[in-house]
Amino acid sequence: GAVVSQHPSWVICKSGTSVKIECRSLDFQATTMFWYRQFPKQSLMLMATSNEGSKATYEQGVEKDKFLINHASLTLSTLTVTSAHPEDSSFYICSARPHSGRAGETQYFGPGTRLLVL
Amino acid sequence: GNSVTQMEGPVTLSEEAFLTINCTYTATGYPSLFWYVQYPGEGLQLLLKATKADDKGSNKGFEATYRKETTSFHLEKGSVQVSDSAVYFCALPNSGYALNFGKGTSLLVTP
C-alpha cells in the first residue's frame, strides 16, 4: 500500500515551453502533497506545500508564477513549470502525506520526474 | 527551525565492512526521525524511522537509534553489500510537516 506515482518519469522539452508533472496517491487520500527539487549530487529542497482545495505555500526563493501548483483532489497534485529554461532542468520529486497522518507520520515519495530543458 | 546535519561522503567500503553514517539533529521537541535511501536514477525510499527518543528503527540490516542526549540518529549496518551502494539521507519534519533533508551521503561498496 501507500504508493505514489508521478507522470511523466522523463521529459525533454524546448526552452520556452511549459511542462506539467502529475503526482498521484494511488491507494490513499492525501490532504497535503509536497514538491521537492533535486539538483545532481545534491539534497532535496522543498519547493512548495500543496493543500487540497487551497493555494499552495511556496518556499522562499521559489517563483509561484513559474511553478504553478494545483491540488484539485485528495489524490492528485500537479506542478506546471511555465516557460521552462535550461536552469529549470532538475529532478522533481513529490511526496504525499496521508489524510489521517499526524505530525511526523511517514510521507510517501513518488519516483521522481527528470526534466531536461534544451 | 528543525534541521539535520549528516556526514558528507563519498564513503567507499569493501563488501562485508561495517558502516556508520553520522546524523545529528536540531529540533523543537522530539520529532520523528527518518533515513531515506536513493538508488542511482531513482526516487527516495524510506529505509527506517524512529518516532520517539530511544526508539531503534531497523530494516534490511540497517539500524539507527534515536538518542536525545546526543541529538543523534546515526545509521549503521554490520556487513554491507554491493547492492547497498546508494545515497542515504537523514531527515526530520519541519513545522509544516514537509521533510528537511541532510545533504546526503553517497556510499559505494566494492566487491
Side-chain angles (χ1 to χ4, degrees):
Chain A
V3 177
V4 176
S5 69
Q6 278 185 245
H7 179 79
S9 55
W10 254 106
V11 58
I12 301 174
C13 69
K14 293 182 179 179
S15 186
T17 60
S18 293
V19 175
K20 180 185 284 189
I21 302 170
E22 293 185 348
C23 176
R24 292 182 185 273
S25 55
L26 298 184
D27 49 5
F28 66 96
Q29 293 185 327
T31 311
T32 304
M33 290 184 173
F34 304 97
W35 287 96
Y36 297 84
R37 183 174 181 176
Q38 184 181 31
F39 290 106
K41 299 188 185 303
Q42 294 188 27
S43 188
L44 281 75
M45 300 301 295
L46 179 67
M47 298 176 66
T49 300
S50 169
N51 293 299
E52 187 266 337
S54 64
K55 292 184 178 180
T57 302
Y58 291 81
E59 295 300 297
Q60 190 172 9
V62 178
E63 298 176 58
K64 62 180 181 180
D65 294 331
K66 180 163 188 65
F67 298 100
L68 300 179
I69 291 173
N70 183 278
H71 194 154
S73 76
L74 286 173
T75 59
L76 173 64
S77 177
T78 60
L79 168 68
T80 301
V81 184
T82 62
S83 186
H85 292 283
E87 59 266 29
D88 298 323
S89 300
S90 189
F91 193 43
Y92 293 88
I93 304 175
C94 73
S95 72
R97 182 167 176 264
H99 181 56
S100 59
R102 58 181 171 81
E105 184 62 60
T106 304
Q107 296 175 24
Y108 301 95
F109 282 81
T113 296
R114 201 166 297 279
L115 170 64
L116 177 61
V117 184
L118 302 177
Chain B
N2 295 352
S3 65
V4 292
T5 302
Q6 66 180 101
M7 61 182 282
E8 296 190 33
V11 174
T12 302
L13 295 173
S14 297
E15 203 164 23
E16 298 183 2
F18 184 84
L19 169 71
T20 299
I21 300 178
N22 291 338
C23 172
T24 57
Y25 66 89
T26 301
T28 302
Y30 301 102
S32 295
L33 300 174
F34 302 87
W35 276 100
Y36 282 85
V37 59
Q38 185 176 35
Y39 297 100
E42 298 184 12
L44 267 69
Q45 299 177 26
L46 176 66
L47 180 59
L48 54 84
K49 69 176 182 179
T51 58
K52 61 183 187 295
D54 299 325
D55 259 6
K56 176 186 285 188
S58 62
N59 185 28
K60 300 182 181 179
F62 291 89
E63 294 182 341
T65 301
Y66 190 157
R67 299 199 185 281
K68 65 178 182 179
E69 60 275 10
T70 54
T71 62
S72 65
F73 192 55
H74 304 322
L75 182 68
E76 297 181 335
K77 186 173 185 180
S79 176
V80 293
Q81 305 299 312
V82 172
S83 57
D84 293 327
S85 298
V87 180
Y88 293 82
F89 294 93
C90 185
L92 80 173
N94 63 23
S95 58
Y97 308 141
L99 290 176
N100 290 337
F101 290 89
K103 292 188 176 182
T105 302
S106 176
L107 170 65
L108 176 63
V109 180
T110 59

